[in-house]
Amino acid sequence: MKDYIVHDGWKIIEDGFHPEHNKITESLMSLGNGRMGHRANFEEKYSGPTLPGNYVAGVYYPDKTRVGWWKNGYPEYFAKVLNAANWIGIDIRIGNTVLDLNQCKILDFRRELDMMNGLLSRTFTAELTDGKQINVTTQRFVSIAHSEIGAIRYTLEALNFSEKVVITPYIDFDVINEDANYDEKFWDEVNKSVSHGEGYVTAEVRKTFFQVCTGMKFKLMKNGEPFRFHADFEERQKFVSNIISLQMGKGSRLTIEKYGVNLSSEYCPKNKLNEIAAQHLNAAYKKGFDRLLQDHADLWHKKWETSDILIKGDVAAQQGIRFNIFQLQQTYTGEDERLNIGPKGFTGEKYGGSTYWDTEAYCIPFFLATAPRQVAQNLLSYRHKHLQKAIENGEKLGFKNGAALYPMVTMNGEECHNEWEITFEEVHRNGAIAFAIYDYIRYTGDTGYLLPKGFEVLLAISRFWSQRVNWSEDKQKYVMLGVTGPNEYENNVNNNFHTNRIAQWTLKYTLEVIDLLKKEHHKAFAQLKEKWNFDEEAETSRWRDIIEKIYFAYDPSRDIFLQQDGFLDKELIPAAELPANERPLNQNWSWDRILRSPYIKQADTLQSLYLFENEYDKATIQRHFDFYEPLTVHESSLSPCIHTILASAIGYPAKAYELYLRTSRLDLDDYNNDTEDGCHITSMGGTWIAFVQGFGGMRVKNGRLHFAPILPDKWEGYSFLINFRNTILKIEVNKQEVVFDNYSGNEMVISIYGKEFVLPSNGVCSLPLASANGIEMQSRTGFSQT
């Protein structure tokens, strides 16, 4: 764990420079707007530890993976999210000395990310090697109001000298990925141009032929007044700059406002790319920094109005949840169904491809409750668009008749993950996609999505499960062999509980959908049957047999389901007994040792108990939690959130709070010693559900919201907002009461601690928190119990 970020409710603050943690801070203070983003690198040159990163959504390179152990069905490539042009660069030279904080004496330093307004700021005072002292103040944002635009305001003040200063704003497309083999480069120059106060470079990705035009335009001010300057130009391969030399006197200030544009060929024809990029850039330049920032901040305020969570009395917990919400909101806006939520978002390039099962399992609930319905629907449509490729992926592995295996990692629907035990075996991802359809319909009531998109995906996934199991004569059960469950610290196991359970559930849910469509859309369903050659009687008969006879490993002495066959053969030593210097295991143990150990990377059996908790009583969930959680090392970012929800539900508030801090501050405190690679964006959706479903106790059952709030001892109170079927509801919890505030003109029936009440339109109602088990709710506006 690291503990250098200042605790603050609305800001991520580095007070004093920590060069040993600079790459971590670059990740934490990354900026994005759904279409582009970058790490919090310095504008000026920095020769210390840094990971330069600028990214454009949807742009990737298919890195070849055909190696010695290549097998039939193995992916042809591993997709790399590409580092794109560095547009933020502003080199500074004072006399003969280049400004480089790695070579300076730093007298004071502060860097902060203002999450309320989406603004990155930095101020420092430094002494150069020749004794000259300067003060620098910067502000930077990537506009969510104008998604092609970013802007920088960079001010330099001469504290104790008069000297010639050279300023070089530039665009550099000659970049590499951190994970590039042999420093391989992925961009070829298409064209470039440079003129007074502006410049453009357009480059094309090798193999995939995406083009991106990156441009800059800037103005100078001296002592607050516009400054007319002379510029020399530099052009080299994939690089353009302006070079401005001027005299600065002691106490004078020089400000450069630099505007950047990134426009990809995904959004306009290649032959119009430069022209349209210039139009965007000129419009931004004309509008100016302050107006652009105001437009940007206004939209951030609107996002917070529907998604903020307030925690009273615990600033570390408050900072954690807002940081997670901020990163989710700036990573995905839902405006383009071709895009998805990358595990690192715009904070780094690790994990290559843009889409994992994380989106469906952890992110969709957040967007369902905090954004317009279309945002979550676009995430589902992303998978429907890739259905045919998922079927082709299944065919490569020997599946037939339209059975789909969705990729573990993808950019365009093709599998591009390069570890066989994940690529071929972690098939529970199919179940996550099916459950997301159910989750969307359960939450929105939009059964229309089933026709045809939802049904077509469910049918293809159910066909996969039907073929993936096989009948065991020995067990007289259907079994599933050679899989990897969510716990990736065990590979190639038989009868993983979660995989078998999600397969069984998917088949049951698909049967329910079929019954619904036959009843309400009989003619359209008949057309779908013909389109997909669906032999309803034969296929559903097999599904029902699998549902009834699928095998689950079970230990009668403990009365628990086993994670997979043979789990009890392991030496069951609790994780608490591991030496601290051996954690995290994946950075200290051999893979062989991990595979032979009992240690669980993330919720596995407990993942199913979370998803299907209505089918298990509290005592059953508690037994499983008590057995599996002590063996769980939480070395997946996706682990603490699920355990927080279960701990809250079974009456372990202290454990729930401990795990909530771990999920919400996973990157802020660098729990797993890997934040420098980028933040764990998709797990941040898990943090949100940990809070709302854990402490808020929120569930959706039979088309209604249910709540069972609890309040951690360390908190004075909290509140959160939910948008449920066009009704905005605020839930506020303090040490005395739970308050429900209906912001909408719709009457609403809700369940609180198992009792149903009618919440009137624009009504505010409360009940004592400590009296959750029986005292009727006290109404401020005519509240009534059903």
Side-chain angles (χ1 to χ4, degrees):
M1 274 183 65
K2 314 294 190 302
D3 187 22
Y4 73 100
I5 295 296
V6 177
H7 291 181
D8 183 277
W10 276 108
K11 295 179 178 179
I12 310 302
I13 301 169
E14 180 190 24
D15 193 7
F17 188 37
H18 299 77
E20 73 280 13
H21 301 324
N22 185 51
K23 290 200 284 187
I24 296 173
T25 314
E26 289 176 342
S27 296
L28 297 177
M29 299 191 188
S30 297
L31 297 175
N33 65 6
R35 289 266 291 274
M36 69 174 184
H38 57 248
R39 292 167 59 83
N41 309 122
F42 298 159
E43 289 87 357
E44 74 278 353
K45 178 181 174 61
Y46 182 66
S47 60
T50 181
L51 176 57
N54 293 270
Y55 309 102
V56 178
V59 175
Y60 69 95
Y61 175 82
D63 200 14
K64 191 173 182 180
T65 61
R66 186 181 289 266
V67 291
W69 54 88
W70 192 90
K71 299 292 188 293
N72 190 41
Y74 202 75
E76 294 287 341
Y77 63 90
F78 177 69
K80 291 183 184 294
V81 174
L82 290 186
N83 197 0
N86 175 9
W87 68 270
I88 69 170
I90 305 172
D91 284 351
I92 305 291
R93 190 172 80 242
I94 300 168
N96 296 317
T97 304
V98 172
L99 175 57
D100 178 352
L101 288 185
N102 193 47
Q103 306 295 328
C104 296
K105 180 180 180 181
I106 299 175
L107 304 180
D108 63 69
F109 180 97
R110 184 180 177 91
R111 178 167 35 171
E112 67 179 44
L113 173 63
D114 175 355
M115 296 182 289
M116 179 182 287
N117 296 298
L119 180 67
L120 175 63
S121 302
R122 182 169 54 114
T123 181
F124 65 85
T125 303
E127 184 174 284
L128 306 184
T129 54
D130 58 6
K132 296 185 180 72
Q133 293 183 358
I134 58 165
N135 180 265
V136 171
T137 301
T138 74
Q139 291 181 307
R140 190 163 91 219
F141 63 94
V142 177
S143 175
I144 59 170
H146 308 280
S147 58
E148 300 84 6
I149 296 297
I152 300 165
R153 177 179 280 160
Y154 190 102
T155 298
L156 172 70
E157 182 178 3
L159 298 181
N160 67 348
F161 64 88
S162 296
E163 182 65 89
K164 185 177 82 169
V165 175
V166 179
I167 301 174
T168 306
Y170 62 85
I171 297 291
D172 184 7
F173 229 130
D174 194 20
V175 295
I176 63 170
N177 271 45
E178 183 188 34
D179 61 353
N181 298 316
Y182 312 108
D183 293 330
E184 180 183 10
K185 296 181 178 180
F186 304 116
W187 296 94
D188 290 324
E189 181 182 305
V190 175
N191 58 62
K192 62 177 178 282
S193 63
V194 62
S195 58
H196 187 270
E198 63 184 305
Y200 298 87
V201 181
T202 299
E204 184 174 76
V205 182
R206 297 171 184 175
K207 294 186 180 180
T208 50
F209 308 112
F210 295 103
Q211 287 189 10
V212 174
C213 177
T214 301
M216 67 171 181
K217 191 164 185 171
F218 64 91
K219 64 181 70 170
L220 291 182
M221 287 165 284
K222 194 171 182 180
N223 298 323
E225 297 296 327
F227 179 72
R228 297 184 67 179
F229 58 89
H230 168 78
D232 294 319
F233 311 135
E234 181 183 5
E235 293 185 63
R236 58 177 188 261
Q237 184 67 18
K238 293 180 279 188
F239 178 97
V240 297
S241 72
N242 273 214
I243 304 168
I244 304 108
S245 299
L246 69 157
Q247 192 73 23
M248 286 190 71
K250 180 180 176 181
S252 64
R253 289 178 294 109
L254 182 69
T255 298
I256 178 171
E257 288 183 356
K258 182 179 181 183
Y259 305 88
V261 63
N262 278 300
L263 185 62
S264 117
S265 56
E266 290 289 271
Y267 295 97
C268 68
K270 291 180 181 179
N271 63 351
K272 296 283 187 179
L273 198 59
N274 289 37
E275 175 187 342
I276 296 174
Q279 291 172 2
H280 286 299
L281 190 54
N282 288 332
Y285 182 88
K286 183 178 180 181
K287 179 166 280 196
F289 188 93
D290 291 326
R291 284 185 59 198
L292 284 172
L293 177 57
Q294 190 62 58
D295 291 347
H296 170 72
D298 287 347
L299 282 181
W300 264 115
H301 297 166
K302 288 183 179 180
K303 286 181 179 289
W304 287 116
E305 285 175 3
T306 59
S307 64
D308 188 28
I309 291 177
L310 174 66
I311 300 173
K312 297 180 180 179
D314 189 342
V315 68
Q318 176 68 86
Q319 184 182 48
I321 191 64
R322 282 193 175 131
F323 176 68
N324 284 251
I325 293 169
F326 175 80
Q327 290 289 358
L328 283 166
Q329 293 279 31
Q330 71 170 4
T331 300
Y332 185 75
T333 62
E335 296 171 359
D336 186 346
E337 66 180 20
R338 297 173 299 175
L339 299 178
N340 209 279
I341 304 165
K344 294 294 183 182
F346 299 109
T347 73
E349 60 230 32
K350 191 177 179 182
Y351 297 128
S354 69
T355 309
Y356 286 62
W357 69 291
D358 306 17
T359 292
E360 284 76 20
Y362 299 93
C363 297
I364 278 183
F366 169 78
F367 290 106
L368 279 171
T370 64
R373 178 185 295 184
Q374 191 63 40
V375 173
Q377 192 177 112
N378 277 347
L379 287 171
L380 299 184
S381 295
Y382 176 90
R383 294 295 192 177
H384 182 262
K385 283 172 64 73
H386 293 165
L387 176 57
Q388 190 55 48
K389 289 189 176 180
I391 291 171
E392 293 169 7
N393 186 49
E395 289 173 348
K396 292 176 183 177
L397 303 184
F399 296 93
K400 302 175 181 178
N401 190 34
L405 175 58
Y406 276 91
M408 185 64 186
V409 179
T410 192
M411 279 288 194
N412 63 0
E414 297 174 323
E415 177 66 78
C416 58
H417 194 278
N418 61 356
E419 298 175 42
W420 69 269
E421 69 276 12
I422 306 299
T423 305
F424 298 142
E425 296 191 344
E426 203 162 325
V427 293
H428 63 83
R429 62 205 190 231
N430 255 13
I433 292 166
F435 192 87
I437 296 171
Y438 161 77
D439 205 16
Y440 169 80
I441 292 166
R442 172 177 62 173
Y443 196 92
T444 64
D446 179 19
T447 57
Y449 182 76
L450 292 169
L451 198 68
K453 292 181 178 179
F455 169 73
E456 292 182 333
V457 171
L458 289 169
L459 173 64
I461 291 174
S462 293
R463 284 172 162 175
F464 170 82
W465 290 130
S466 180
Q467 296 175 44
R468 187 59 175 81
V469 300
N470 61 272
W471 178 254
S472 167
E473 286 291 338
D474 177 64
K475 291 182 171 62
Q476 289 293 293
K477 293 280 186 180
Y478 289 97
V479 297
M480 202 174 321
L481 310 177
V483 302
T484 298
N487 173 29
E488 294 172 339
Y489 283 178
E490 294 190 287
N491 304 147
N492 200 31
V493 301
N494 296 333
N495 296 308
N496 171 259
F497 177 80
H498 177 67
T499 309
N500 285 16
R501 186 70 182 83
I502 198 77
Q504 180 193 50
W505 174 87
T506 302
L507 295 173
K508 288 176 67 175
Y509 180 57
T510 306
L511 290 173
E512 293 173 12
V513 167
I514 289 171
D515 287 343
L516 174 70
L517 295 180
K518 288 168 66 175
K519 180 179 179 181
E520 298 185 5
H521 305 281
H522 184 76
K523 184 176 180 180
F525 178 68
Q527 293 172 342
L528 283 173
K529 285 176 61 176
E530 183 177 356
K531 173 184 176 180
W532 290 100
N533 193 28
F534 178 41
D535 187 337
E536 181 183 354
E537 182 176 352
E539 293 190 57
T540 60
S541 176
R542 176 172 170 82
W543 296 353
R544 290 188 175 91
D545 200 42
I546 294 168
I547 291 166
E548 180 183 350
K549 298 174 183 176
I550 196 164
Y551 172 75
F552 299 104
Y554 176 74
D555 174 24
S557 65
R558 293 179 175 85
D559 193 14
I560 61 169
F561 293 106
L562 297 179
Q563 188 170 280
Q564 72 270 335
D565 290 350
F567 187 80
L568 293 180
D569 293 336
K570 295 173 175 288
E571 190 175 5
L572 302 178
I573 302 172
E577 297 181 20
L578 288 167
N581 63 357
E582 296 185 15
R583 306 280 293 272
L585 300 184
N586 58 26
Q587 296 175 23
N588 291 283
W589 282 17
S590 70
W591 192 242
D592 168 74
R593 186 180 181 188
I594 289 174
L595 292 176
R596 289 185 287 107
S597 81
Y599 301 118
I600 301 170
K601 184 181 180 186
Q602 69 187 80
D604 194 310
T605 302
L606 294 180
Q607 184 81 18
S608 279
L609 269 65
Y610 156 67
L611 292 177
F612 311 120
E613 64 175 353
N614 289 339
E615 301 180 31
Y616 305 98
D617 59 30
K618 181 177 177 181
T620 298
I621 296 173
Q622 188 172 20
R623 282 196 308 276
H624 285 79
F625 188 95
D626 290 346
F627 178 73
Y628 285 109
E629 199 283 329
L631 298 172
T632 304
V633 290
H634 300 293
E635 290 176 10
S636 166
S637 64
L638 304 173
S639 186
C641 56
I642 300 302
H643 289 82
T644 299
I645 298 166
L646 293 174
S648 299
I650 62 178
Y652 292 175
K655 190 67 175 178
Y657 176 78
E658 170 200 330
L659 292 168
Y660 164 76
L661 277 188
R662 180 165 183 141
T663 185
S664 67
R665 298 192 62 86
L666 177 78
D667 292 313
L668 290 172
D669 294 336
D670 196 23
Y671 269 89
N672 289 341
N673 196 32
D674 58 1
T675 305
E676 67 178 33
D677 298 327
C679 296
H680 298 82
I681 302 301
T682 48
S683 79
M684 293 175 177
T687 300
W688 184 89
I689 62 175
F691 189 100
V692 171
Q693 296 181 16
F695 302 129
M698 191 192 87
R699 305 290 189 273
V700 180
K701 303 175 184 177
N702 301 318
R704 291 178 180 172
L705 288 176
H706 293 239
F707 297 94
I710 64 172
L711 181 67
D713 290 341
K714 294 180 182 287
W715 295 357
E716 296 173 9
Y718 63 82
S719 64
F720 61 94
L721 294 156
I722 293 296
N723 182 349
F724 182 72
R725 303 189 181 185
N726 298 318
T727 297
I728 306 294
L729 189 65
K730 181 180 181 181
I731 299 88
E732 184 174 356
V733 179
N734 58 49
K735 291 183 182 294
Q736 289 76 41
E737 62 183 355
V738 185
V739 181
F740 294 85
D741 192 347
N742 184 355
Y743 285 0
S744 304
N746 305 317
E747 183 180 87
M748 190 179 198
V749 177
I750 59 175
S751 173
I752 308 162
Y753 299 116
K755 288 188 176 182
E756 288 191 347
F757 299 89
V758 178
L759 182 60
S761 62
N762 300 306
V764 181
C765 311
S766 65
L767 82 163
L769 178 67
S771 305
N773 295 317
I775 292 182
E776 290 188 7
M777 179 171 281
Q778 303 300 310
S779 173
R780 297 175 183 167
T781 54
F783 184 92
S784 61
Q785 184 173 349
T786 61

